[in-house]
Amino acid sequence: MTHEHIEYVKKLMKIGEDLGFYVADGRKLGKMYHMANPDCVWYYDCRGKKPLLKIAKGDKSNYLPVVAFEVADSEREKGLRGSLMSLQLTNASASIIVLVGTAAKYKSYLNKLVGRYSSARIRIWTESDVNKLYASVKTT
């Protein structure tokens, strides 16, 4: 992992916390963890909320993944396909690949690839998108 990768994962974790989510990597995905381990996930804590807990228990977890993030810093085409698959396996409400460092040059390729998965809610962000959200959350 590069310094940029670590920096942006930390920012995403902080944003999620500030927005009131439980944040972690993919370990809270329960039985799906061995198949997908995204860099950051914003979870809804279902404990004490019986109807939602029943849904989360299907994955042997107490948390529902709301937004999942993969931070790509040096990945090329094959690695980006793997990041996309990890996000799909989390089954979060929304999934975001953040392109930083040298991976940023693959934005056009990734847009085409994501277009093939029209049923999934996948977004592509850059460092700028994370920085803007980080600044806006920090000021509220």
Side-chain angles (χ1 to χ4, degrees), residues 13-32:
M13 295 274 191
K14 180 68 174 133
I15 294 166
E17 287 173 1
D18 289 351
L19 293 175
F21 290 101
Y22 175 82
V23 299
D25 58 16
R27 285 176 248 212
K28 293 293 182 192
L29 292 171
K31 68 183 182 181
M32 294 300 294

Side-chain angles (χ1 to χ4, degrees), residues 80-129:
L80 291 169
R81 288 192 302 269
S83 292
L84 180 59
M85 182 56 66
S86 288
L87 290 174
Q88 286 182 291
L89 289 169
T90 66
N91 204 23
S93 297
S95 297
I96 300 170
I97 297 178
V98 180
L99 298 174
V100 302
T102 60
K105 66 183 175 186
Y106 291 100
K107 186 173 183 180
S108 176
Y109 166 78
L110 194 55
N111 275 318
K112 289 177 190 171
L113 186 62
V114 166
R116 302 291 297 165
Y117 293 93
S118 59
S119 64
R121 184 173 290 139
I122 299 170
R123 303 290 184 260
I124 301 166
W125 285 7
T126 63
E127 297 172 16
S128 174
D129 296 305

Side-chain angles (χ1 to χ4, degrees), residues 39-116:
D39 293 312
C40 176
V41 182
W42 299 349
Y43 295 96
Y44 186 78
D45 187 347
C46 298
R47 293 176 294 182
K49 299 163 186 97
K50 195 171 182 178
L52 293 176
L53 191 57
K54 185 175 182 179
I55 296 167
K57 287 289 184 193
D59 286 332
K60 297 184 177 157
S61 179
N62 292 320
Y63 303 90
L64 285 176
V66 178
V67 185
F69 297 90
E70 277 285 333
V71 177
D73 63 347
S74 60
E75 286 87 338
R76 293 171 25 189
E77 292 174 356
K78 184 175 181 179
L80 291 169
R81 288 192 302 269
S83 292
L84 180 59
M85 182 56 66
S86 288
L87 290 174
Q88 286 182 291
L89 289 169
T90 66
N91 204 23
S93 297
S95 297
I96 300 170
I97 297 178
V98 180
L99 298 174
V100 302
T102 60
K105 66 183 175 186
Y106 291 100
K107 186 173 183 180
S108 176
Y109 166 78
L110 194 55
N111 275 318
K112 289 177 190 171
L113 186 62
V114 166
R116 302 291 297 165

Side-chain angles (χ1 to χ4, degrees), residues 1-17:
M1 281 186 265
T2 67
H3 172 71
E4 282 182 311
H5 182 272
I6 294 166
E7 173 188 352
Y8 283 94
V9 170
K10 285 181 180 180
K11 282 184 177 182
L12 292 167
M13 295 274 191
K14 180 68 174 133
I15 294 166
E17 287 173 1

